[in-house]
Each structure stands twice: as C-alpha cells, then as structure tokens.
Amino acid sequence: MSTKTRVPTAINGGPFGQAWSARADGLQSLAGILLGAFLLVHMHFEASILLGKETFFHVVQLLEGSMFSSTGHGFQIVTQIFSVFILVLVVVHAALALRRFPVQIGQWRALRGFMSNIKHKDTRAWYWQMITGFVLFFLVSAHLGTMILNPEIGPHLSAERVYDGHAWLLYIVFLPVVLVHGIIGLYRVILKWGISSNRPLIRKIAQILIIYLLCLGSLSLITYISIGSELLHPVQPFMPK
Amino acid sequence: MSRQISFNIFRFDPQDDQDKPKMERYQLTETDGMTVFIALNQLREQQDSSLQFDFVCRAGICGSCAMVINGLPTLACRTLTANYPDGEITLMPLPGFELIGDLSVNTGKFMRELAERLKLWLHPKSDDQDMHRLENPMAPEEAARIYELERCVECGVCVSACATKQMRETFVGAVGLMKIARFEMDSRDNRSADDFYHVIGNQDGVFGCMTLLGCQDNCPKDLPHMKQIAYLRRKMASTIL
C-alpha cells in the first residue's frame, strides 16, 4: 500500500471497527437535533413579545412552571436548570463535532485548495457551518452564562438586559450565526441518517426557515430594544393588569 | 457558424525534476456535438503531442477520462463544449490521486488498494465447489438493486468531489462505501453486519462521512450515494447501539 491510502484496518493489522465511532456519530447527531429543535421553539417563545408584553409575561410564567406555584408565578430555577442542561448539550455536541474540524494546517490547506478548485454548494454550506460552530461556542457560552447567573426573564427585565445591559450587541451577531449553524445542521442530519431523501424539499424548507427565523428574531430584538429605551429607572418588573 | 473556444489546461510532469506546474492556453474551432474528450484529442493530434490525459471507451463506461472541468469533476467524454457559452474551458486533473502527468491520474492504484483494504469481492455462503450443482436463482428485484450499484465505473469523481477525502487521506470515500453497500445487499454474500463494521465502522469509514454530498452531486452515473451511505450508517450504528 502507498502512504496515500495506508490506513489502520484489518488488512494491515491496526485497529479496525471501533464501537465509539458509531456512538460518537449518533450522539453528535442526537445532541444536534435536540439543540436545533430547541432553537426553533426558543425563537418562537421569545418572539411572543411581538404579541404584547402581557403575552410574553404569561408565556414566561408558564414555561417557568406557574401551574405548580401557589402564587401563580413560576420558578426562576427552572430557567437556570434548563440553561445548564442546554449548556451540557452544547458542550457534548461541540466536543464530538471537533472530530470533524480540520485540526492541521495541511488539512486547512487541502480544504481551501479544494474549495477554490471545485465549486460545490453543500461543501460551502458545511464550511460556514463549521466557522459558525466555532464562533457559537463562545456566543452560546456568553448567552447561557447570563441565563444561569441572571435568570430574570420578563418584558421589562429582558428588555433592560437587551438595551441597558447592551446584550443587543451579542444578539445581533448571535442571531444569524446560530440560525445558519442550526438550520444547515438540521438539513444535513436529516440527509445523513436518511430520515428523508427528498433533498430539494428539505433544502427549500431550510432556506425558508433561515429567512423566516431571521426576520422573526430581528423583529423581536427591535421590540426589546424599543421597550428597553422607554423604561423608567429603576426598572420595575412587568405585572399584568 | 463555428466558434473559437479556449482551453486552459493544467500542465505538469512529475517525472521531470525541472518541470513546474503551470496552466497552458490552447485555441480550437468548435464542431457540432464536440465533447471535451474530442477537443483534447484534436489538441493532442494538431497542436501539442505531449499533452497527457486518459481515455478508453469515449462513452462514459470506462471512467478513464475523469477530470475537473470548470470547477466540476466529471467525465470529459460526456461533457459537451457547447455547455460553456463563453467558450472558456479550464481543465484540471482530479485532486486526491497520484498524478501521472497533466490531466492523467492513477485511479487504478487507488481502487485496487481500496478493494484489498475493504475486501471488495463476493464472499460466498457456500464453499461447495461442485460445478454440476445449479446455482440458486436470484429474485429479479434483488438483481436490479445490485445492478443499480454495479453501474459504478470507478472514475474517481466521487473521491475528488469529497472535501472530507481531501482533508483525510485515510477516509475510504463514497466509492468504497457504495461497493460495501453492493455486497451487503447481495444474498449470496456470507458476511454479516459485524463483518462489514469490521472494515467501515470507524472514522475512516462510514462514520467519517460528513454528508457534504459532493459524491452525490457530481457522480457522472447518478448513483444514489446519499441514500446508500445513510443506509449503511443506520445499519452499522444499529449493530453497536
């Protein structure tokens, strides 16, 4: 065998079928699907601010388990626990995805050379998924860190964090990056495991979803900034009439 | 009226220590129904006898004339020059293979090593050598399924169109996985899922595929790479999980 295709397989005596290869691939996809699904619902929950402060307030209370509270208010610890769970999922997903990263200069050179010589849309999409994945590790950590340490969510408290706390600077980058990464990821995981083989349809849905969620998220962010700019200090939590 | 078309062709002789990789430009008068393969033969006959490229069948059956044409790896004999309205055609050798010279690469050496590595031959269920015994008939549906994958001409396009393969030389690529799928579905083959896991159940096999889909999009025979690799991934994962 030449060095070009020399591999550690049963043929040349090295390690061969590795049980963890299947588990790692499955676990990476599973964590990705869970995170992608969470992204879809999260975008809609936080967009409930578009329906008014009261709607957003009730959505937050419901998600924080208001039905289990004698006062009718939710528990902030629910947000903290869920944020920790999501952070664990992100870490697991990222650690497993690192297997795919080109870790050597030669691999980067090969990838750049390949992309300059061969034009292929899906390879280009993966390239951007990889770049956004790297950036996300920092952005998601910052976002979830805030949610764990400062879990107050509400029409006024969230708007205060976005406007006065300058979190909009984070979200304006976070929003397109997480959508590109998450939706392309869902598209590829569906094809990867053969959940559907109707690729043109899945690609079209993915494109529409990215544009739709980008619009939804941008409108929500503008609304939070608008509410935040009108708040009187010290900021009082919103209470429905 | 015939038009003039231009060819930018990669030139390099790795056997010559003094030679450096370069692009050379050629002009040619286009004729009706001209393919890149026909044009290359004219160039070699009329303008530059040192031009190296491979061909055997000129009918998309042998897979020898695979090269990168204007950024897409494909077969020269199945590519009409009329597909390029501006008359500019750039030809590069397939990346990822040993270069013989100019547009000629050694796909044969790669395919042989791959076959030895993955044991790409039928492992019969019976070692009965009685020539007078009638073979078991095969269901027409099964024969059709196997024939669908037997259409692979080993041109190497899927390997060259795969960024994963370019970054990780030890990755088997779509051609290896397709051939494993072909034997996996053959009822005459004695190997179990465990046996196949033995050779492709690792990061260099089916769990190293990142579903970039360059193989699916560029295969000149339109083979169902995406579907078969997804099938193998599920099959291999289910043997472990």
Side-chain angles (χ1 to χ4, degrees):
Chain A
M1 284 202 172
S2 74
T3 52
K4 198 157 188 62
T5 51
R6 180 182 55 76
V7 285
T9 66
I11 296 290
N12 57 23
F16 20 94
Q18 294 149 354
W20 262 102
S21 295
R23 293 188 190 122
D25 214 25
L27 204 55
Q28 184 194 346
S29 295
L30 182 66
I33 289 171
L34 289 175
L35 288 169
F38 172 68
L39 174 69
L40 293 178
V41 292
H42 179 39
M43 291 295 295
H44 287 90
F45 284 144
E46 58 94 13
S48 61
I49 194 73
L50 296 172
L51 302 175
K53 290 182 185 179
E54 200 150 330
T55 308
F56 182 66
F57 176 85
H58 288 302
V59 167
V60 172
Q61 293 300 304
L62 184 72
L63 292 176
E64 289 189 340
S66 58
M67 67 290 272
F68 302 112
S69 160
S70 56
T71 60
H73 293 283
F75 307 96
Q76 285 181 357
I77 193 148
V78 174
T79 302
Q80 288 174 304
I81 291 170
F82 200 74
S83 298
V84 170
F85 171 68
I86 294 293
L87 190 59
V88 170
L89 268 185
V90 169
V91 170
V92 168
H93 182 68
L96 293 168
L98 277 176
R99 297 171 305 140
R100 312 292 197 203
F101 271 58
V103 289
Q104 295 168 344
I105 291 290
Q107 290 178 314
W108 272 105
R109 201 175 290 137
L111 179 62
R112 297 298 303 175
F114 175 86
M115 287 177 64
S116 64
N117 286 328
I118 293 179
K119 312 298 175 199
H120 185 241
K121 278 184 187 171
D122 277 53
T123 304
R124 203 161 287 276
W126 169 77
Y127 178 77
W128 285 109
Q129 200 196 359
M130 179 180 63
I131 300 290
T132 50
F134 179 76
V135 175
L136 268 181
F137 197 73
F138 302 98
L139 298 181
V140 168
S141 303
H143 176 54
L144 288 175
T146 310
M147 288 296 105
I148 294 166
L149 299 172
N150 184 20
E152 294 90 8
I153 303 175
H156 287 175
L157 298 176
S158 297
E160 183 195 17
R161 186 163 49 232
V162 169
Y163 184 74
D164 294 320
H166 302 295
W168 66 271
L169 287 168
L170 170 71
Y171 294 137
I172 207 166
V173 181
F174 191 21
L175 181 65
V177 168
V178 75
L179 288 179
V180 166
H181 184 85
I183 304 299
I184 293 177
L186 285 175
Y187 160 77
R188 287 184 47 245
V189 84
I190 287 170
L191 300 176
K192 181 176 181 176
W193 292 94
I195 298 166
S196 166
S197 55
N198 191 346
R199 191 165 158 216
L201 176 70
I202 312 238
R203 180 157 37 193
K204 184 59 74 184
I205 291 172
Q207 287 167 344
I208 292 169
L209 262 182
I210 288 178
I211 294 168
Y212 162 66
L213 292 175
L214 201 56
C215 293
L216 191 73
S218 301
L219 284 173
S220 306
L221 188 57
I222 290 167
T223 309
Y224 286 115
I225 292 172
S226 169
I227 294 171
S229 66
E230 292 166 358
L231 288 175
L232 299 173
H233 292 81
V235 174
Q236 296 299 315
F238 173 84
M239 291 305 289
K241 290 170 185 168
Chain B
M1 185 176 163
S2 298
R3 61 172 182 162
Q4 288 291 112
I5 48 175
S6 301
F7 285 88
N8 294 300
I9 301 180
F10 176 84
R11 302 299 309 272
F12 179 54
D13 182 0
Q15 304 291 329
D16 182 356
D17 293 340
Q18 306 300 315
D19 199 16
K20 294 263 189 300
K22 57 189 174 290
M23 300 299 288
E24 277 186 10
R25 194 172 175 84
Y26 300 87
Q27 297 272 335
L28 197 67
T29 304
E30 190 179 40
T31 52
D32 284 345
M34 180 182 257
T35 62
V36 172
F37 160 77
I38 293 170
L40 279 171
N41 275 285
Q42 279 192 18
L43 287 175
R44 186 156 67 180
E45 283 168 14
Q46 297 164 8
Q47 297 186 34
D48 189 343
S49 60
S50 69
L51 193 58
Q52 295 186 70
F53 58 92
D54 296 323
F55 71 92
V56 178
C57 75
R58 68 183 176 179
I61 297 168
C62 71
S64 301
C65 63
M67 59 187 69
V68 181
I69 304 174
N70 281 10
L72 293 175
T74 187
L75 297 181
C77 68
R78 285 167 56 113
T79 306
L80 292 167
T81 54
N83 292 350
Y84 306 96
D86 62 356
E88 285 284 334
I89 298 174
T90 301
L91 304 180
M92 302 284 287
L94 286 185
F97 294 101
E98 181 183 312
L99 184 71
I100 295 171
D102 299 340
L103 302 173
S104 173
V105 294
N106 197 342
T107 50
K109 187 177 176 184
F110 170 83
M111 295 300 171
R112 185 196 167 99
E113 287 176 355
L114 191 71
E116 289 174 356
R117 175 183 164 188
L118 300 181
K119 303 181 182 180
L120 297 176
W121 54 86
L122 191 79
H123 292 54
K125 281 187 170 163
S126 165
D127 55 2
D128 182 3
Q129 301 296 314
D130 182 2
M131 291 174 64
H132 303 292
R133 190 178 63 83
L134 278 178
E135 289 180 330
N136 290 331
M138 179 182 278
E141 297 79 20
E142 184 186 346
R145 281 203 307 275
I146 293 173
Y147 178 72
E148 170 76 354
L149 305 189
E150 278 285 343
R151 294 189 298 111
C152 175
V153 294
E154 300 187 0
C155 59
V157 163
C158 59
V159 171
S160 292
C162 174
T164 309
K165 175 67 182 166
Q166 303 306 311
M167 285 189 287
R168 285 213 319 276
E169 288 179 352
T170 51
F171 178 56
V172 298
V175 60
L177 296 173
M178 284 292 282
K179 285 178 179 292
I180 286 284
R182 176 249 174 273
F183 289 110
E184 198 280 332
M185 68 172 60
D186 193 326
S187 62
R188 297 167 299 174
D189 199 288
N190 192 34
R191 285 173 284 185
S192 65
D194 279 345
D195 296 324
F196 289 117
Y197 196 94
H198 196 64
V199 286
I200 58 163
N202 54 37
Q203 289 303 307
D204 288 325
V206 74
F207 300 115
C209 169
M210 301 196 293
T211 321
L212 305 184
L213 301 170
C215 54
Q216 172 86 26
D217 291 341
N218 291 284
C219 177
K221 307 299 283 186
D222 293 324
L223 291 170
H225 295 277
M226 186 180 81
K227 187 176 159 192
Q228 291 302 326
I229 294 174
Y231 166 73
L232 274 184
R233 184 180 278 112
R234 290 197 306 271
K235 184 95 181 171
M236 295 296 103
S238 66
T239 65
I240 290 296
L241 301 176

